[in-house]
Amino acid sequence: MADIFSEFEDRLPQKIIDEIKNSLPKSASDAKVKKILEAAYEEYTIAKVSPGESVGLISAESIGEPGTQMTLNTFHFAGVAEMNVTLGLPRIIEILDGRKELDNPMMEIYLKKPYATGKKIEELRQLALQIKETKLRDISTELSINIADFTIEVKLDKDKMKGIEITNSKVTDAVSKQLKGYNIKDNKDSIILKSRSKESTFNDAYKTKEKIKDITIKGVKGISQVLPVKREDEFVIITAGSNLADVLQLEEVDAYRTTTNNIFEIEQVLGIEAARQSIVNEIFKVIESQGLNVDVRHIMLVADTMCVNGSLKGITRYGVVSEKSSVLARASFETPIKHIINAALVGEVDNLDSVVENVMINQPIPIGTGLPSLSVKQPKTAKEK
Amino acid sequence: MVEVYINSKFAGIVDNPIEFVNKVREERRKGLLTHNLNIFYNEKANEIQLESSKGRARRPLIIVKDGVPLLTERHIKQLEKNEISWSDLVKQGVIEYLDAAEEENSLVAFFESELTPEHSHLEITPLAMLGYCTSLVPYSNFNQSTRLNAGSKNQKQALGFYASNFSVRMDMDVNILHYAQKPVVSTIMHDISNYDKHPAGQNLVVAIMSYKGYNMEDAIILNKGSIERGLGRSTYYRPSIAEELRYAGGLIDEICIPDKDVKGYKTEKDYRFLEDDGIIYPEAKVKEGDVVIGKTSPPRFLSSMEEYSLASSTRRESSINLKHGEEGIVDFVLITENEEGNKLIQARLRDERIPEIGDKFTSRHGQKGIVGLIVPQSDMPFSSNGIIPDLIFSPHGIPSRMTIAHLIEMLAGKVGALAGRYINGTTFDAEPEERLRKELLSLGFMESGLETLYNGQTGEQYLTKIYIGNMYYLKLKHMVANKIHSRARGPIQLLTRQPTEGRAKEGGLRLGEMEKDTFVAHGASLLLKERFDSDKTIVPVCESCGIIAIKDNYKNKSYCTICGENVEVNYIEISYAFKLMLDEFKSLGIYPKLQLESKY
């Protein structure tokens, strides 16, 4: 039986072979298995795209046409609580442009077994608060500068600190870790910062005062809101703000399922293949939420072009388009002068083997009926003989 | 303590705002203060705003005191007798104009019966909420508001009898409807505006039914017999204007039949309609290209006026001729002078427009449509009385648009036509539908407005009863004759050698970027190439330097401007636009070298 499968190994993808293997009943005879594989191979060949099919343009039309029906509804409250989500056309543009700064970065944090099913809501809330970022400005009531010796006094909000379990020592630790060159004195209701350098000025003190407001005292940096949500029979924490690398470090988090909508973070933490899949998922989510019907394979093609180089590239003149080999193709898409001048400087050659260039010079485009050409073996002339 | 602002500038403080505001209003009504002043007491902001500036939308209302309107029967009688006018009512303080701000301080009753002592104003008529064109729609309170907007927009484009001195006017692009009628179903606004002096439509017999599918998608069917009797017939007027302009150096345009040696002389045939003074004679039938007013101008540049120039005349042709697609009869010629004292010639063209397939018609309810078919009267459906509709309207236009007034107008029009009277269809104040139905019944028709119709071609009775009635229909100024356009070959642009754009220049219809994409998506590579062949050229290319070479047909030689004659020159087929781009690169100092290789 193994022989039959190995016979098909270079004809069918491994995934299909495995699928057939797993779903076969044990009683299947070799002849029948072979028949099944033959039939699968035939189906597989039919499903293949023919050579010369302009898959890119068909994908573009298939995504673009329903895209025109997409309402420009930017914001939409995702049911459970007030959490802003970018949806619709703006989100698709955000993904395809490969933007690094998202309008609404978000995470879905899945938890490991004991925490996920935890019956105690209280524990879960504690965990969520562990993740939420608390900045110095959140727990201070007043920041003031002593003009005489340029020390900075931070008055702490004791009630708030108690509520989220922060002690004075935690505050001083965090500040000393993230702020170099200052001595920190714990004064019970406040902490006092004094510069170690002798030549400090009021200006320096003022700048430091503004800077320390954003010091993270507790939680994961960048996560501004947390919201525990029950999904089927487990608890998931949805956050506003994203920091995949640091969240995955947490012990309670299920690193296999936790995700973010920031594709760049996924690329950095999990690699390019994960980023590609994440592009597909994110775009498909938006298209689905709008009630439109686009085949995934079109989106997969887009995701593939964005990731082929091993790094994430947006479909912009700085991203995918700048990688095109043809000068004329690049020039026909935004900033033509830049491309032509640069090409002239290095004496670039355009081989005219893509669609746009051939439309420009009015030659048959190498797609569909324009792709095949005829080669004729000429009889040798008398001389050559 | 309330702050007072006059035209948004701080003016002072008052202690008792209500007393102050009332006093200002009282004095305005008495005429001690200007009628253009409005006052608004904003309790929330604790301020009083007085406004007398320009550009505020204001509307008139009847003033009410202690629940009694100041406008009395006596005023109305005086108005009827023309003893007083509207402005007298404003002066007397019976009617005042409020702006949006002062409206916030007042309580306005819609009807007199609703008045209470709290009310400060009374609406003059509910009709006041509509504009002029909208209030011309009968039974408009039965229509959806969007349809009213569409309907009033359509009315502005209707052909009619716009001015009774049209025959001596020289308006640009105007139309006159030949047999304009006063609507049978009218509103009070028709009377107020003397609509019968400048009507813009005709009362037609309309049947709501389908006719062989030629009235789908809002199209309408017209009765050819009705058209021959003058339905929707109109005349289009357009003057051609020429002026004898004066130039520097005492030079002047001359209106005359141009000499044959004038630069740009057309052909003798083109000037055949001109009389000795260079102006066309009235009632001449002209077509495109024919000269209406002959004119020559002095040369553009004085340098070309050199004395020993070989040409006997340096003047150039600048006659006014008919553009592509224009035709008509010269109706009226006017020779006069303009403000600068230059001789001014206007020759007005007239063209009779008989309704044809593609002309646009509409009822007053935003139910516009295009003529889909013109049917001989003998083939039109007919009723047992022998009534044949002038126009057939598709029933599919009704449900989604919900223009109930369209249906009521048909019914009312039918009653009006049968009873020989005009029906009042004023918004909110129309003759009730119920009464119309009863009257229709008494006139010997079904009260539903339905009638049995017979197929005009076979004489068979239609299985369904058809809703048929009279309606006021408008012919709109969009006529196919002004829009029809096609091209197989034609003029091209000088720069790119691509076809020109637009109907006036006999241009092509562009196959744009997205249309191109559809060819690519289908893999129809060679078809795409053919579509873009409009500017293809064959150019010689020098094999050694890759620059476009020269082919000298006279000497039968090809050579390159850089490499000389001893080079191989090959011919390639490219679009002229690409050749142009290569030339532009060269002018930028970029060397676009073409490397040729065999395609096969």
Side-chain angles (χ1 to χ4, degrees):
Chain A
M1 188 140 122
D3 304 346
I4 305 167
F5 282 112
S6 62
E7 196 183 307
F8 278 87
E9 229 152 47
D10 49 351
R11 291 211 263 164
L12 282 171
Q14 194 59 45
K15 201 183 166 194
I16 293 177
I17 292 180
D18 289 345
E19 224 172 275
I20 293 170
K21 239 185 220 171
N22 293 335
S23 50
L24 276 178
K26 276 190 183 144
S27 57
S29 71
D30 278 12
K32 275 192 176 158
V33 171
K34 191 162 182 183
K35 233 178 178 177
I36 290 169
L37 283 167
E38 292 283 1
Y41 177 67
E42 204 169 295
E43 283 291 315
Y44 181 69
T45 11
I46 289 169
K48 272 186 177 170
V49 170
S50 342
E53 188 85 82
S54 41
V55 281
L57 210 139
I58 292 170
S59 285
E61 286 185 343
S62 304
I63 298 170
E65 193 269 333
T68 57
Q69 294 164 40
M70 238 185 266
T71 43
L72 265 160
N73 252 342
T74 326
F75 295 112
H76 158 74
F77 296 102
V80 194
E82 282 171 36
M83 190 82 89
N84 256 339
V85 193
T86 319
L87 270 181
L89 209 56
R91 173 64 183 151
I92 290 207
I93 293 168
E94 193 174 75
I95 299 166
L96 295 184
D97 282 358
R99 239 176 259 164
K100 283 184 179 150
E101 298 282 326
L102 300 186
D103 282 350
N104 290 299
M106 264 179 72
M107 286 189 80
E108 271 177 32
I109 302 173
Y110 285 84
L111 303 168
K112 280 183 187 155
K113 256 280 140 64
Y115 305 97
T117 50
K119 280 171 189 114
K120 287 181 196 157
I121 284 274
E122 205 40 53
E123 259 176 42
L124 194 81
R125 191 160 292 150
Q126 280 304 321
L127 185 63
L129 285 174
Q130 287 288 322
I131 296 170
K132 186 181 173 180
E133 181 184 20
T134 307
K135 288 179 178 168
L136 190 61
R137 71 166 75 201
D138 299 326
I139 51 162
S140 57
T141 52
E142 197 185 331
L143 287 97
S144 54
I145 301 171
N146 186 332
I147 300 175
D149 53 0
F150 301 137
T151 55
I152 304 165
E153 188 182 13
V154 182
K155 283 208 175 113
L156 297 173
D157 189 336
K158 280 285 172 189
D159 294 338
K160 249 191 187 165
M161 283 168 70
K162 223 178 211 169
I164 45 178
E165 293 178 350
I166 296 175
T167 56
N168 278 20
S169 62
K170 254 190 185 165
V171 176
T172 51
D173 276 2
V175 173
S176 64
K177 235 182 234 169
Q178 289 173 63
L179 189 74
K180 298 275 141 62
Y182 277 86
N183 284 326
I184 299 148
K185 205 171 132 198
D186 190 351
N187 239 3
K188 256 195 171 177
D189 282 344
S190 64
I191 55 169
I192 290 165
L193 289 88
K194 196 176 181 206
S195 178
R196 268 183 229 145
S197 87
K198 275 166 195 166
E199 288 157 38
S200 85
T201 60
F202 177 75
N203 225 352
D204 292 335
Y206 183 79
K207 273 183 195 159
T208 321
K209 189 194 104 184
E210 291 303 312
K211 212 167 99 189
I212 57 169
K213 283 181 184 170
D214 286 326
I215 283 179
T216 305
I217 304 294
K218 194 187 160 190
V220 181
K221 202 170 178 185
I223 293 189
S224 55
Q225 256 186 76
V226 284
L227 184 76
V229 173
K230 184 148 190 175
R231 199 163 281 176
E232 272 149 34
D233 42 44
E234 67 176 324
F235 283 100
V236 179
I237 299 171
I238 292 177
T239 69
S242 171
N243 188 343
L244 189 65
D246 289 356
V247 167
L248 292 189
Q249 298 290 318
L250 297 173
E251 191 194 332
E252 302 90 343
V253 167
D254 181 352
Y256 289 100
R257 293 184 295 158
T258 298
T259 80
T260 168
N261 68 352
N262 189 336
I263 292 151
F264 261 93
E265 258 181 24
I266 293 185
E267 191 219 337
Q268 274 156 19
V269 179
L270 301 171
I272 193 74
E273 283 292 338
R276 189 202 83 104
Q277 190 57 48
S278 152
I279 294 171
V280 176
N281 293 346
E282 289 290 322
I283 297 180
F284 202 66
K285 206 160 77 189
V286 177
I287 287 171
E288 239 180 5
S289 76
Q290 299 273 329
L292 303 173
N293 190 22
V294 176
D295 198 291
V296 237
R297 285 171 289 181
H298 296 307
I299 302 161
M300 280 160 70
L301 184 70
V302 175
D304 282 340
T305 48
M306 287 173 74
C307 299
V308 261
N309 274 347
S311 65
L312 202 58
K313 290 244 152 58
I315 302 180
T316 61
R317 67 182 116 134
Y318 309 106
V320 174
V321 179
S322 71
E323 312 257 305
K324 284 190 180 181
S325 63
S326 160
V327 196
L328 294 178
R330 265 179 283 139
S332 70
F333 179 87
E334 294 178 11
T335 57
I337 297 163
K338 188 181 106 187
H339 288 293
I340 301 243
I341 301 276
N342 287 340
L345 285 176
V346 296
E348 224 174 289
V349 177
D350 194 319
N351 286 317
L352 305 175
D353 39 29
S354 178
V355 176
V356 207
E357 306 96 278
N358 283 291
V359 170
M360 281 168 94
I361 63 167
N362 194 23
Q363 290 291 321
I365 50 168
I367 279 281
T369 54
L371 188 64
S373 56
L374 206 60
S375 66
V376 178
K377 211 175 198 179
Q378 278 189 313
K380 279 185 181 171
T381 50
K383 264 188 196 171
E384 280 168 333
K385 270 178 190 165
Chain B
M1 296 284 269
V2 176
E3 289 163 353
V4 180
Y5 295 84
I6 298 175
N7 288 334
S8 304
K9 284 203 178 90
F10 180 71
I13 287 172
V14 291
D15 291 326
N16 194 337
I18 292 168
E19 192 182 297
F20 175 74
V21 168
N22 285 339
K23 201 176 167 202
V24 170
R25 286 187 184 142
E26 208 51 57
E27 289 188 3
R28 178 183 63 197
R29 285 167 192 175
K30 276 181 194 158
L32 298 169
L33 288 166
T34 169
H35 291 295
N36 294 326
L37 182 81
N38 283 107
I39 184 165
F40 168 48
Y41 173 37
N42 187 345
E43 269 181 81
K44 261 189 198 157
N46 207 31
E47 61 185 32
I48 292 170
Q49 293 277 4
L50 284 107
E51 274 295 340
S52 66
S53 52
K54 289 182 200 170
R56 292 165 298 138
R58 299 159 82 232
R59 67 195 201 93
L61 289 168
I62 300 167
I63 299 164
V64 173
K65 263 202 182 125
D66 306 319
V68 182
L70 295 188
L71 187 79
T72 57
E73 285 296 323
R74 199 169 59 88
H75 286 117
I76 291 166
K77 267 181 194 148
Q78 280 178 314
L79 278 170
E80 277 171 353
K81 285 180 197 158
N82 259 338
E83 284 168 5
I84 53 166
S85 65
W86 175 266
S87 53
D88 291 322
L89 290 179
V90 179
K91 270 180 207 152
Q92 285 171 23
V94 175
I95 279 170
E96 67 181 355
Y97 282 81
L98 298 192
D99 70 352
E102 193 171 341
E103 267 188 338
E104 296 295 319
N105 283 168
S106 40
L107 184 62
V108 183
F110 208 53
F111 293 110
E112 200 175 348
S113 54
E114 290 171 359
L115 279 174
T116 64
E118 280 81 50
H119 281 103
S120 63
H121 294 89
L122 172 65
E123 204 73 58
I124 296 167
T125 161
L127 203 62
M129 74 170 93
L130 305 176
Y132 172 57
C133 278
T134 315
S135 47
L136 290 178
V137 180
Y139 293 95
S140 55
N141 48 320
F142 292 89
N143 271 349
Q144 207 189 354
S145 66
T146 49
R147 289 291 133 197
L148 287 185
N149 282 325
S152 56
K153 226 172 168 181
N154 288 157
Q155 292 214 53
K156 291 169 193 167
Q157 301 178 352
L159 306 187
F161 190 68
Y162 74 103
S164 46
N165 64 340
F166 73 91
S167 59
V168 292
R169 289 171 67 105
M170 282 290 179
D171 301 292
M172 193 48 90
D173 268 323
V174 290
N175 293 280
I176 291 283
L177 187 68
H178 287 191
Y179 303 102
Q181 297 172 342
K182 186 189 174 186
V184 170
V185 186
S186 57
T187 72
I188 193 164
M189 207 45 117
H190 287 95
D191 301 332
I192 294 170
S193 63
N194 287 325
Y195 197 81
D196 54 335
K197 297 276 192 277
H198 52 90
Q202 289 170 322
N203 294 295
L204 310 186
V205 177
V206 177
I208 297 188
M209 61 183 285
S210 78
Y211 190 89
K212 296 182 179 179
Y214 280 96
N215 59 349
M216 55 183 174
E217 292 291 330
D218 282 348
I220 53 166
I221 309 283
L222 285 187
N223 180 342
K224 196 170 181 206
S226 311
I227 292 173
E228 281 159 1
R229 275 173 243 127
L231 187 156
R233 198 167 284 221
S234 62
T235 300
Y236 175 68
Y237 291 101
R238 212 187 83 88
S240 296
I241 303 165
E243 186 186 349
E244 274 190 355
L245 278 173
R246 280 162 211 279
Y247 300 90
L251 296 165
I252 190 168
D253 283 344
E254 195 190 350
I255 290 175
C256 60
I257 303 174
D259 279 338
K260 277 184 183 162
D261 51 5
V262 156
K263 218 172 162 186
Y265 186 78
K266 293 181 167 99
T267 58
E268 233 169 283
K269 186 191 157 222
D270 292 330
Y271 300 103
R272 70 188 184 281
F273 292 118
L274 300 190
E275 294 191 311
D276 293 343
D277 57 358
I279 305 167
I280 201 160
Y281 57 89
E283 300 303 320
K285 280 185 187 170
V286 283
K287 287 215 161 64
E288 64 178 85
D290 292 337
V291 173
V292 180
I293 303 163
K295 195 174 81 172
T296 59
S297 300
R300 272 210 187 84
F301 308 104
L302 284 173
S303 58
S304 56
M305 267 189 29
E306 287 155 13
E307 278 167 40
Y308 37 83
S309 163
L310 282 171
S312 51
S313 167
T314 51
R315 293 183 73 85
R316 63 196 160 83
E317 225 279 1
S318 58
S319 301
I320 309 294
N321 58 334
L322 286 196
K323 288 188 191 100
H324 171 69
E326 283 184 329
E327 62 175 315
I329 296 162
V330 179
D331 186 53
F332 184 54
V333 176
L334 185 78
I335 303 171
T336 177
E337 244 176 29
N338 70 0
E339 298 95 327
E340 284 121 49
N342 297 336
K343 190 175 178 189
L344 183 77
I345 314 291
Q346 295 191 316
R348 192 176 62 194
L349 232 63
R350 131 170 75 83
D351 189 19
E352 191 180 37
R353 295 285 165 85
I354 300 165
E356 56 181 321
I357 291 174
D359 282 358
K360 194 175 174 185
F361 284 80
T362 181
S363 74
R364 288 175 286 179
H365 310 279
Q367 289 283 14
K368 56 174 186 256
I370 270 164
V371 178
L373 187 68
I374 294 171
V375 181
Q377 181 163 345
S378 53
D379 289 347
M380 286 294 272
F382 56 90
S383 76
S384 52
N385 306 8
I387 295 290
I388 299 168
D390 298 309
L391 187 147
I392 297 174
F393 177 83
S394 167
H396 293 291
I398 303 287
S400 60
R401 300 197 233 278
M402 298 183 279
T403 52
I404 305 305
H406 188 271
L407 304 176
I408 299 175
E409 192 197 330
M410 276 175 75
L411 194 83
K414 195 171 184 176
V415 173
L418 289 166
R421 64 186 180 93
Y422 291 108
I423 309 281
N424 176 16
T426 308
T427 314
F428 299 115
D429 195 22
E431 223 181 292
E433 183 198 341
E434 207 183 347
R435 210 158 81 203
L436 293 171
R437 288 188 185 281
K438 273 186 189 146
E439 194 174 340
L440 194 60
L441 191 65
S442 71
L443 287 161
F445 283 82
M446 276 169 73
E447 64 174 335
S448 58
L450 300 173
E451 271 178 58
T452 306
L453 291 198
Y454 299 86
N455 186 325
Q457 286 176 316
T458 64
E460 283 172 325
Q461 185 181 319
Y462 284 118
L463 292 176
T464 315
K465 297 219 178 340
I466 306 285
Y467 191 62
I468 182 168
N470 292 49
M471 267 202 104
Y472 195 60
Y473 251 80
L474 318 164
K475 186 186 186 187
L476 301 185
K477 65 178 181 188
H478 304 285
M479 286 170 282
V480 258
N482 296 329
K483 299 191 172 185
I484 191 166
H485 173 51
S486 67
R487 160 182 172 138
R489 273 155 283 142
I492 51 162
Q493 279 163 14
L494 196 65
L495 182 68
T496 59
R497 297 202 186 165
Q498 285 170 358
T500 51
E501 196 185 324
R503 187 181 113 98
K505 282 174 275 175
E506 214 196 328
L509 295 166
R510 188 185 168 79
L511 184 99
E513 187 96 21
M514 293 177 90
E515 289 77 18
K516 176 213 83 183
D517 287 351
T518 62
F519 284 101
V520 177
H522 279 87
S525 169
L526 298 158
L527 178 59
L528 175 66
K529 186 192 167 282
E530 241 173 66
R531 282 304 316 246
F532 284 145
D533 270 352
S534 63
D535 65 336
K536 78 166 175 193
T537 40
I538 292 174
V539 290
V541 175
C542 168
E543 283 280 2
S544 81
C545 66
I547 293 275
I548 290 166
I550 290 167
K551 161 81 177 165
D552 189 333
N553 276 318
Y554 182 63
K555 288 180 190 161
N556 199 18
K557 254 187 211 168
S558 326
Y559 60 95
C560 170
T561 44
I562 299 170
C563 314
E565 290 189 16
N566 284 327
V567 281
E568 197 188 334
V569 171
N570 278 309
Y571 294 87
I572 58 165
E573 185 196 296
I574 52 168
S575 60
Y576 189 81
F578 186 67
K579 189 237 148 201
L580 183 72
M581 189 170 80
L582 297 182
D583 289 343
E584 287 192 357
F585 284 167
K586 281 185 246 170
S587 73
L588 285 170
I590 295 171
Y591 174 19
K593 183 174 181 178
L594 298 172
Q595 292 173 352
L596 304 186
E597 62 182 62
S598 175
K599 220 171 24 170
Y600 306 105

